[in-house]
Amino acid sequence: MSGRHVDLGMPSFPTAARDAVRDGTLRANLRHATHTIRDKRARAVAELDDWAQLREAGRQIKDRALRHLDHHLERLERAVTEAGGTVHWAEDADDANRIVTELVRATGQREVVKVKSMATQEIGLNEALAAEGITAYETDLAELIVQLGDDRPSHILVPAIHRNRAEIRQIFAEEMGRWGRPAPDGLTDTPADLAEAARLHLREKFLRAKVGISGANFMVAETGTLVVVESEGNGRMCLTLPETLISVVGVEKVVPTWRDLEVFLQTLPRSSTAERMNPYTSMWTGTSDADGPRAFHLVLLDNGRTAVLAHDTGRQALRCIRCSACLNVCPVYERAGGHAYGSVYPGPIGAILSPQLRGTASAVDASLPYASSLCGACYEVCPVAIDIPEVLVHLRTRVAGGGGAGHRIEKAAIKTAGWVLDHPGFLAAAERAAARTRRLHPRRPPGAGAWTRSRELPEAPRESFRDWWRKNRGADGGQG
């Protein structure tokens, strides 16, 4: 079954993108940020002579893990349990939210601190906790900006990429006091001042929190180890200071062995932050009396993932290691921004992941496979070689096969064209009729509005190529 759709109230991609491209500030912010990140990434990747081999190794490791996912998850569960942790299985978003809420309630706490996590955004965990009177505090700097601004993330790696420094300063000055320690008086928009304001605000929460919630970049089946890579250190604080740690992780994040991390800890930082290695790589295995949380709970999230495994082409999307390299090279994302995708997974990866996790029944999910020019830049930079254009075409076929007024007309037109092309005599007659009536052809024929809004139909020629060939080349058999 597909996962529950967390309704964000978003229109279809074309409608949302049309508004986004008119926002000059948004486009300037996106252009500056994506170009900076992708240029740095290119330099970092160029340092490795064996990048192509690492990319292929990453693809093979993830494919092998997905082919034997049941085996690796059972092995992971045994290892986590033996190390003192508790494993919970969540079929969908509601199931996961219920499990986490009950675990937090059992501690008697009404506040939690969170590590940046796409999986918890996917299931709407913060909102589910808030409905039960539990406040979740985001501790990643960009996620903090989004939370304080009552906003939504627009990028996998840099959720507040659509904000500039002046906007961030205003958010901090106006909103920090409602969530805890207020911003310092006279706050400027220099990066150092903004970072210090966030540090002071968050330090209170780290030292007070008894419960931490995280995701994970990888789970090692062999040892039961979870891995989080980050650049700020907030994750390390959330993972070590609270008495209880709850990690919500998609089942596709499992890798078979400890040695597999060797590949991903080279490719992920270079593809995401353009660093040779992440400043903070945190690993934990169960619990320890001398270090870290006393209780550890791992919530393994399906939410549509096992359904994605069913198709050989679509399954590629589950290789994703959330580096965001595809977003930074995508000409569509650069102009439309992340919010237009109506999902916590924006950009090219979101265009193939969300419609598979949630299905294509809604307008936004049915439109996402078309949110691409199929230029292939996303595939070229993907560190695990996901052929995103191939999956997009596969999903377009699925959407078209599902019907809808536009797709029914298109399907009928293709069927008619196939019959005409299969009958040369009829085709020749149709070509002559089109040439003779060319002056009467409308520029915007009924039923073709979606095509002709941005393009004109080609003008029919005075004579068909078939007739021209017969007249000019027919006598000499086509020679000359």
Side-chain angles (χ1 to χ4, degrees), residues 62 215-219 227-230 249 253 268 321-322:
K62 294 294 285 187
N217 295 97
F218 307 102
M219 303 181 291
V227 183
V228 163
V229 296
E230 41 135 356
V249 190
K253 294 296 187 71
L268 177 55
I321 58 175
R322 308 292 192 266

Side-chain angles (χ1 to χ4, degrees), residues 8 59 69 202 206 230 266 280 295 366 392 397 400 410 421 429 461:
L8 298 175
R59 182 191 70 79
L69 188 59
L202 291 172
F206 288 135
E230 41 135 356
Q266 294 182 77
Y280 296 89
L392 286 168
T397 302
E410 183 180 7
L421 293 171

Side-chain angles (χ1 to χ4, degrees), residues 37 41 157 267-274 278 322-325 328:
I37 296 171
R41 175 209 166 272
L157 178 68
T267 56
L268 177 55
R270 290 175 187 269
S271 294
S272 55
T273 56
N278 291 95
R322 308 292 192 266
C323 70
S324 77
N328 299 324

Side-chain angles (χ1 to χ4, degrees), residues 97-385:
N97 288 332
R98 176 187 56 78
I99 292 168
V100 176
T101 301
E102 289 176 357
L103 290 173
V104 176
R105 274 183 181 161
T107 68
Q109 298 298 309
R110 312 301 287 180
E111 295 181 348
V112 300
V113 289
K114 287 185 68 226
V115 186
K116 180 179 181 295
S117 163
M118 302 296 292
T120 59
Q121 292 171 11
E122 175 190 327
I123 64 176
L125 178 60
N126 287 12
E127 294 78 9
L129 290 173
E132 299 298 326
I134 300 167
T135 304
Y137 295 111
E138 297 290 349
T139 64
D140 174 82
L141 176 57
E143 291 286 2
L144 174 65
I145 294 165
V146 169
Q147 185 175 53
L148 293 178
D150 193 24
D151 202 350
R152 287 178 290 108
S154 64
H155 191 277
I156 289 175
L157 178 68
V158 193
I161 196 172
H162 55 291
R163 298 289 194 182
N164 59 38
R165 291 185 304 176
E167 292 172 316
I168 295 169
R169 189 211 67 80
Q170 183 176 0
I171 290 170
F172 280 9
E174 295 177 356
E175 303 296 335
M176 266 188 174
R178 293 197 306 112
W179 288 81
R181 178 170 179 155
D185 293 335
L187 178 67
T188 74
D189 65 0
T190 63
D193 278 3
L194 295 174
E196 180 65 12
R199 188 176 295 114
L200 294 171
H201 177 82
L202 291 172
R203 183 65 54 137
E204 275 188 357
K205 304 189 185 308
F206 288 135
L207 297 176
R208 186 174 67 224
K210 302 295 184 184
V211 181
I213 295 178
S214 81
N217 295 97
F218 307 102
M219 303 181 291
V220 182
E222 178 183 36
T223 60
T225 302
L226 273 70
V227 183
V228 163
V229 296
E230 41 135 356
S231 299
E232 299 172 13
N234 62 292
R236 179 76 54 87
M237 302 282 274
C238 290
L239 296 168
T240 55
L241 291 179
E243 296 174 359
T244 299
L245 174 61
I246 305 167
S247 299
V248 182
V249 190
V251 292
E252 83 282 11
K253 294 296 187 71
V254 69
V255 295
T257 70
W258 180 267
R259 186 174 181 178
D260 295 329
L261 293 176
E262 175 192 0
V263 172
F264 299 113
L265 293 183
Q266 294 182 77
T267 56
L268 177 55
R270 290 175 187 269
S271 294
S272 55
T273 56
E275 295 168 300
R276 296 181 179 92
M277 65 179 292
N278 291 95
Y280 296 89
T281 300
S282 301
M283 303 181 183
W284 68 100
T285 307
T287 60
S288 170
D289 292 336
D291 185 31
R294 298 188 184 122
F296 169 56
H297 297 271
L298 171 59
V299 181
L300 291 172
L301 177 67
D302 186 335
N303 205 38
R305 285 159 173 79
T306 53
V308 180
L309 287 171
H311 198 283
D312 290 342
T313 300
R315 183 188 304 161
Q316 297 179 67
L318 296 182
R319 288 187 211 146
C320 178
I321 58 175
R322 308 292 192 266
C323 70
S324 77
C326 62
L327 280 69
N328 299 324
V329 298
C330 177
V332 176
Y333 174 85
E334 181 185 324
R335 287 156 179 80
H339 292 159
Y341 292 81
S343 166
V344 298
Y345 302 111
I349 188 60
I352 65 171
L353 187 58
S354 298
Q356 294 193 86
L357 293 179
R358 305 189 306 202
T360 54
S362 69
V364 63
D365 288 314
S367 69
L368 288 179
Y370 298 89
S372 170
S373 65
L374 299 180
C375 69
C378 49
Y379 170 63
E380 295 299 325
V381 298
C382 177
V384 286

